[in-house]
Amino acid sequence: MRSMPAAAAPYLAVDTSGPLGSVAVGTDRGVLSRAFLDRQGRHAADMIPCMTQALAEARVGARDLAGVVVGAGPGSFTGVRVAAATAKGLVHALRVPLWAISSLAAAAVAERVAASLPGLPAQLPDPGPDRLRYVLFDARGDRLYAACYWVAEDAVKVVVAPHATRLETLLEEGPPAGAWFVGDGALRHETALRAAGRRVLPPPAGVPTADGLLHALGLCDSHPPVADPGRWEPEYVRASSAERVRSG
């Protein structure tokens, strides 16, 4: 992992964009501790206890944090708001910077994160040299939140920016050749994707986590902190006008 904005300084990361929320404390040298929010509908109530647990296990005081990293979405509207509000409150109270990383990017690097997710294997079969990860989050019905990333040992680059779409539209547009599809949206539409000649990786690939946020931040050459955390809002990624007309 490349050096994060302040080398060896501890960061607190939180992502609740999906059903499984998580909190992690880590530095440029790796993750020190983590805690999972696995009770759906209870992310708001469980957030602070999980943060307290992760900080205690890492032996890091809140005042020792160099910054907070939050999953910026898209995903569950309520979950994304919970993480955003908590992160904004923390950086205001602690007077530290806030970094906002796309939850889709966190999902793209999930395979490279060492954490074993509850109920899932810690490692995946090696998919080979292909580094493209097309992340699909289920947005209900045939709607998807999507983005494609090129992921290497020392970098992560956006190939297709986060956007709202439908599976039919995405396939018509022609996803990059060689991309592996990951995420709960890919799993939901796995049969259709495979019928279209596309490849799908199972979890933990495609699962957004706080570990993934820290990893993604460490791989960015230049990812500045949020200029004004008080005014910052998550990436809800609205559908285009064409998509809204089609869904009406």
Side-chain angles (χ1 to χ4, degrees), residues 145-179:
Y145 299 126
C148 186
Y149 299 87
W150 183 84
V151 180
E153 292 291 340
D154 60 350
V156 56
K157 297 181 180 180
V158 178
V159 177
V160 178
H163 62 289
T165 187
R166 297 170 184 267
L167 182 65
E168 179 183 1
T169 302
L170 185 149
L171 292 175
E172 287 176 352
E173 292 172 346

Side-chain angles (χ1 to χ4, degrees), residues 1 7 33 87 94 97 122 160 164 228 240:
M1 183 183 295
S33 66
L94 300 175
V160 178
D228 186 349
S240 68

